[in-house]
Amino acid sequence: MPQNQVQAPVPGGGIKQKILFVSGKGGVGKSLVAAAVARREAEAGRRVLLVEIGDLSYFKDLFHLERVGHSPVRVPGQGFDLAIWNGESCLREYVLHYLKLRRLYHVFFENRVIRALINIAPGLNEIAILGKITSGIRKVGPPLDYDLIIVDCYATGHALALLGAPRGLMEAVKIGPMGAQSREIDSVLRDPDLTAFWIVTLLEEMPVAETLEFYQRLQEEFGIQSEVIVNKYLQLPISERELETIAEGDAQGLGEFARYLGAVAERQGRFLKALEKAGAPLRKIPLIFTTETDCLIREAEEALRTT
Amino acid sequence: MAAAIGAHAAQSLGRRVLVLTVDPAKRLATALGLDLNSSDERVVPLEHAKGTMAAAVIDSKKIFDEFIRSHAARSEVVERITRNRLYEQLSTTLSGSQEFTALERLLQAYESGKFDLIILDTPPTKHAMDFLTAPHRISALFQDSVMKWFMNPDAESKSFIAGLIGRGTRMALKSLEVLTGGAFIEELVDFFSAIRSIQKVLRERSERVLELLKSPRTSFVVVTSFDEAKLLEARYLQEELSHLRYHLKAVIINRAFPLGVPSDIQAVPEGMSPGSYVKVLNFHRLFREYHAIRYNLYEKFCRGLKSSIAVLRVPEYQVDVHGLSDLQELGKVLGGKEQGS
């Protein structure tokens, strides 16, 4: 499809499909944030698909689902659909869609050479996944009937490799369908009207360092302006000055806890400043005192709505 | 965490330690004395250490290039491989290269005999499995039957059986060509036929890595946090590791509750504003209840683990762990608990 059609208005004036990538250092709560925004958007009346990448579904047990696979399933009580895509499942769908002949398709995937190739060919998995994610916008392959695709993406390092794959391939293979598709995918990723990026972080040394690096590299290498979502922000019940009084005056009782809270407050302030200095737009999700998934998502959703 | 374990082993146990990391944050790299532009091993200065600790960043591109250079028989082969545009992408930007190079670097360090303990920091869970199955995938790719096609894709096979296999492969490859274009296939064929000369050594190396990973001398440590979903992920990883016949030795649970807070405060001490004191007290109660729920999840998780696997809890620190002295402290915590468990 020619590139200019990517930007074409939707016939009938409907909402144009958009993509949101959610990334961050491992263990900061990306998936929870992705689910919270999926729920928020679904409640606002949008048709939302939450996509996991890889082989292992984080949400399957969390939402008590029997199965999560390539084809979207509705998540009960959440209002959005969920799917898990990996290089092979995306490639299979794509090949079946284009080769049409099921027999040829089997020859293709049962072939040892092809299997080995899919496992290791540089960029093929990444292109297959990104190709699927952007297929609705590019109007390529089976229809993807959603207003918003939210991608619970890899952690920052692998996310950069994923996002860099189309550019890498279009430089390596300039002509032919592979080059053309890579160019299309790359232009969708870089278009702020179509694609948004969120980086989830905790206000701690390593996650913030990784966030700042990822934020800058998205800007410099992809021209992408991302937003930063601060997760588990500890909202103090009293002022830092009052905390200090307790820390100093009650050594036996709450003193140690007050000192702990004071240290957390100081650390949070320091890292918020560093993020603000980098110019990153920020949203905060407070630390929520529950382990119950539904409650966590609901509270996070509320926080995202109000910040 | 990898650096903290390393610091402990060097300091208290007197080991010669190497910590290999794929992509450290700048400050940690500074603390470890690493130059981010270099992949050389650097000695990390540790106070009162009986052993030594070195650290190195794994530079994928460099290890790839060196590997090709040292194993390709002729210089024109080296040039042909490194000139191939897919190789350039494979060795620099594309994911997949990290797995191969990190494991190759691990093997090199092991074979050097310079270290008693080598610690390799792997990517998070979703990619840890890619990482751990990389040797299987690489050796599968370099099977003769697969390589043969790339050596000469258009050759007519002489034997009847080989001819049949060849036809299927040709059909499949034709389909791939329709989907991806001739240029992509050409690059691939060029890439595979160029690396033909190092096929044997590539396969041998990946088999040796696999042997090393399966050896009882190699231990796997899973780092997780106090969260239901993370613990489930850790359990999955544990099952996969045992399926691959790798040896999981310990699970480290990070960011456990801040310790040392009394539980039974009734009266407001003299001189304190009751309003703010009660607010902090209530807040503390919330913290404790939250911790109690998480503690139950943790106990459930532990009950599901084999008894040979040690479980270590690392408390949430008041300060961030990033500098060398913090790492040493954390190392002591890990070391101390390990002995007790």
Side-chain angles (χ1 to χ4, degrees), chain B residues 93-255:
Chain B
T93 52
L94 296 177
S95 62
S97 60
Q98 275 185 2
E99 286 89 352
F100 171 76
T101 48
L103 292 172
E104 172 59 24
R105 181 73 181 79
L106 174 73
L107 191 58
Q108 284 173 10
Y110 175 74
E111 286 172 344
S112 77
K114 283 181 355 201
F115 306 100
D116 304 315
L117 175 67
I118 303 163
I119 301 172
L120 175 65
D121 199 5
T122 76
T125 319
K126 283 218 169 184
H127 280 94
M129 286 322 296
D130 277 357
F131 199 82
L132 300 171
T133 53
H136 301 84
R137 283 182 287 135
I138 292 168
S139 60
L141 182 74
F142 293 106
Q143 279 167 10
D144 287 344
S145 55
V146 174
M147 284 303 291
K148 256 182 206 151
W149 185 86
F150 289 104
M151 280 145 60
N152 194 355
D154 294 314
E156 283 300 323
S157 202
K158 289 192 177 70
S159 100
F160 174 63
I161 294 169
L164 281 181
I165 297 165
R167 262 205 289 282
T169 301
R170 270 200 296 278
M171 221 163 115
L173 262 302
K174 264 273 172 282
S175 312
L176 187 67
E177 188 171 341
V178 170
L179 295 167
T180 60
F184 180 70
I185 301 290
E186 261 171 46
E187 286 291 332
L188 263 182
V189 169
D190 182 62
F191 174 65
F192 280 98
S193 53
I195 58 173
R196 180 182 51 172
S197 66
I198 56 163
Q199 169 203 354
K200 202 168 153 236
V201 66
L202 262 171
R203 203 179 55 205
E204 279 168 10
R205 296 297 284 176
S206 53
E207 278 163 9
R208 210 174 297 170
V209 164
L210 193 57
E211 223 172 84
L212 180 64
L213 292 182
K214 280 186 181 167
S215 148
R217 297 171 68 91
T218 304
S219 305
F220 287 80
V221 175
V222 171
V223 180
T224 183
S225 65
F226 239 151
D227 167 292
E228 189 171 18
K230 288 281 155 216
L231 291 175
L232 276 171
E233 241 178 46
R235 169 149 318 154
Y236 164 82
L237 196 57
Q238 178 215 335
E239 282 161 14
E240 290 296 309
L241 285 170
S242 113
H243 178 69
L244 290 166
R245 288 193 281 147
Y246 295 161
H247 305 278
L248 177 65
K249 289 283 168 63
V251 176
I252 297 177
I253 301 178
N254 210 353
R255 293 196 200 103

Side-chain angles (χ1 to χ4, degrees), chain A residues 42-73:
Chain A
E43 283 194 351
R46 294 188 187 94
R47 292 164 306 165
V48 179
L49 175 64
L50 176 59
V51 175
E52 296 182 83
I53 311 180
D55 304 315
L56 175 65
S57 172
Y58 173 89
F59 293 116
K60 182 180 160 282
D61 293 324
L62 225 58
F63 291 132
H64 310 291
L65 298 168
E66 220 163 83
R67 196 179 162 274
V68 180
H70 186 84
S71 302
V73 288

Side-chain angles (χ1 to χ4, degrees), chain A residues 120 126 178 205 250 256 260, chain B residues 27 95 180 260 277 316 320:
Chain A
I120 205 137
E126 286 87 347
M178 194 73 158
E205 177 80 23
D250 186 22
E256 189 167 348
Y260 164 77
Chain B
R27 232 169 131 174
S95 62
T180 60
Y277 195 86
E316 182 172 341
D320 266 338

Side-chain angles (χ1 to χ4, degrees), chain A residues 26-27 52-56 58 61-62 84 94-95 98-99 103-104 107-108 111-114 116-117 119-124 126 152 154-155 157-158 161 164-165 168-169 171-179 202-207 209-210 213 232 234-238 242-243 245-246 249-250 252-254 256-261 263-264 267 270-271 287-291 293, chain B residues 23-28 85-86 89-90 93-96 98-99 123-127 130 137-138 140-143 145-146 149-150 165 168-169 171-173 175-184 187-188 191-192 225 227-230 232-233 236 255 257-262 265 269 271-273 276-277 279-281 283-284 286-287 290 293-294 297 316-322:
Chain A
E52 296 182 83
I53 311 180
D55 304 315
L56 175 65
Y58 173 89
D61 293 324
L62 225 58
I84 181 162
Y94 182 77
V95 169
Y98 282 92
L99 291 183
R103 201 185 124 256
L104 197 55
V107 168
F108 187 81
N111 186 276
R112 233 178 344 171
V113 175
I114 296 285
L117 199 71
N119 268 336
I120 205 137
L124 206 56
E126 286 87 347
D152 180 11
Y154 297 145
H158 278 85
L169 271 183
E171 275 161 17
V173 190
K174 292 207 168 61
I175 42 174
M178 194 73 158
L202 302 175
L203 291 175
E204 290 172 15
E205 177 80 23
M206 300 288 273
E210 217 171 293
E213 193 189 334
K232 297 191 179 173
L234 186 69
Q235 282 170 326
L236 292 179
I238 56 172
E242 285 173 299
L243 264 183
T245 315
I246 297 176
D250 186 22
Q252 301 305 312
L254 273 180
E256 189 167 348
F257 185 61
R259 266 192 299 283
Y260 164 77
L261 292 181
V264 172
R267 182 182 71 195
R270 185 157 36 94
F271 289 127
L287 173 64
I288 302 154
F289 293 100
T290 179
T291 51
T293 314
Chain B
D23 188 19
K26 233 179 207 159
R27 232 169 131 174
L28 183 68
R85 278 173 291 199
L86 283 179
Q89 296 304 326
L90 178 70
T93 52
L94 296 177
S95 62
Q98 275 185 2
E99 286 89 352
T125 319
K126 283 218 169 184
H127 280 94
D130 277 357
R137 283 182 287 135
I138 292 168
L141 182 74
F142 293 106
Q143 279 167 10
S145 55
V146 174
W149 185 86
F150 289 104
I165 297 165
T169 301
M171 221 163 115
L173 262 302
S175 312
L176 187 67
E177 188 171 341
V178 170
L179 295 167
T180 60
F184 180 70
E187 286 291 332
L188 263 182
F191 174 65
F192 280 98
S225 65
D227 167 292
E228 189 171 18
K230 288 281 155 216
L232 276 171
E233 241 178 46
Y236 164 82
R255 293 196 200 103
F257 185 69
L259 304 168
V261 179
I265 299 163
M272 293 281 158
S273 137
S276 56
Y277 195 86
K279 275 186 196 161
V280 177
L281 193 58
F283 201 58
H284 177 242
L286 261 179
F287 253 78
Y290 178 51
I293 304 169
R294 298 206 301 173
L297 294 174
E316 182 172 341
Y317 276 74
Q318 290 197 3
V319 289
D320 266 338
V321 176
H322 54 77

Side-chain angles (χ1 to χ4, degrees), chain A residues 3 22 66 85 91 106 119 136 140 142 151 162 178 209 252 290:
Chain A
Q3 209 173 308
V22 183
E66 220 163 83
W85 294 343
L91 205 59
H106 284 299
N119 268 336
V140 170
V151 184
L162 176 73
M178 194 73 158
Q252 301 305 312
T290 179

Side-chain angles (χ1 to χ4, degrees), chain A:
Chain A
M1 179 186 290
Q3 209 173 308
N4 59 5
Q5 277 182 288
V6 168
Q7 299 271 20
V10 176
I15 307 161
K16 193 158 60 166
Q17 190 176 88
K18 290 191 175 184
I19 305 166
L20 170 67
F21 285 90
V22 183
S23 179
K25 185 180 180 350
V28 296
K30 289 185 289 294
S31 302
L32 179 89
V33 170
V37 69
R39 185 163 154 150
R40 182 192 73 178
E41 294 298 315
E43 283 194 351
R46 294 188 187 94
R47 292 164 306 165
V48 179
L49 175 64
L50 176 59
V51 175
E52 296 182 83
I53 311 180
D55 304 315
L56 175 65
S57 172
Y58 173 89
F59 293 116
K60 182 180 160 282
D61 293 324
L62 225 58
F63 291 132
H64 310 291
L65 298 168
E66 220 163 83
R67 196 179 162 274
V68 180
H70 186 84
S71 302
V73 288
R74 174 51 58 105
V75 181
Q78 301 291 334
F80 56 81
D81 289 357
L82 176 66
I84 181 162
W85 294 343
N86 58 38
E88 184 167 336
S89 74
C90 294
L91 205 59
R92 273 178 187 275
E93 185 187 59
Y94 182 77
V95 169
L96 191 60
H97 188 80
Y98 282 92
L99 291 183
K100 307 287 184 206
L101 286 175
R102 207 162 263 275
R103 201 185 124 256
L104 197 55
Y105 164 85
H106 284 299
V107 168
F108 187 81
F109 276 104
E110 275 156 28
N111 186 276
R112 233 178 344 171
V113 175
I114 296 285
R115 290 210 65 84
L117 199 71
I118 290 169
N119 268 336
I120 205 137
L124 206 56
N125 277 310
E126 286 87 347
I127 278 295
I129 293 167
L130 288 175
K132 175 66 183 167
I133 291 168
T134 58
S135 66
I137 290 174
R138 296 182 300 122
K139 305 215 173 9
V140 170
L144 200 54
D145 225 359
Y146 294 95
D147 301 314
L148 179 64
I149 313 275
I150 298 170
V151 184
D152 180 11
C153 195
Y154 297 145
T156 58
H158 278 85
L160 278 173
L162 176 73
L163 298 171
R167 173 124 312 193
L169 271 183
M170 66 197 235
E171 275 161 17
V173 190
K174 292 207 168 61
I175 42 174
M178 194 73 158
Q181 297 232 9
S182 300
R183 265 192 301 281
E184 275 182 28
I185 294 167
D186 186 63
S187 75
V188 171
L189 295 181
R190 287 163 196 265
D191 186 339
D193 289 334
L194 300 173
T195 310
F197 291 82
W198 281 8
I199 313 171
V200 183
T201 189
L202 302 175
L203 291 175
E204 290 172 15
E205 177 80 23
M206 300 288 273
V208 168
E210 217 171 293
T211 297
L212 288 171
E213 193 189 334
F214 189 52
Y215 177 80
Q216 274 158 7
R217 287 186 67 179
L218 280 178
Q219 248 176 355
E220 286 160 15
E221 292 167 31
F222 299 90
I224 290 167
Q225 174 63 49
S226 52
E227 276 187 58
V228 173
I229 313 296
V230 171
N231 194 19
K232 297 191 179 173
Y233 180 74
L234 186 69
Q235 282 170 326
L236 292 179
I238 56 172
S239 73
E240 282 185 58
R241 188 177 289 256
E242 285 173 299
L243 264 183
E244 250 172 59
T245 315
I246 297 176
E248 284 164 12
D250 186 22
Q252 301 305 312
L254 273 180
E256 189 167 348
F257 185 61
R259 266 192 299 283
Y260 164 77
L261 292 181
V264 172
E266 185 278 325
R267 182 182 71 195
Q268 289 194 144
R270 185 157 36 94
F271 289 127
L272 271 180
K273 249 187 224 147
L275 291 168
E276 278 161 6
K277 201 174 147 205
L282 295 175
R283 293 174 201 233
K284 286 183 226 150
I285 297 175
L287 173 64
I288 302 154
F289 293 100
T290 179
T291 51
E292 215 238 302
T293 314
D294 199 56
C295 184
L296 274 171
I297 293 175
R298 214 171 38 242
E299 297 271 343
E301 177 209 339
E302 190 61 34
L304 287 173
R305 202 194 297 273
T306 51
T307 54

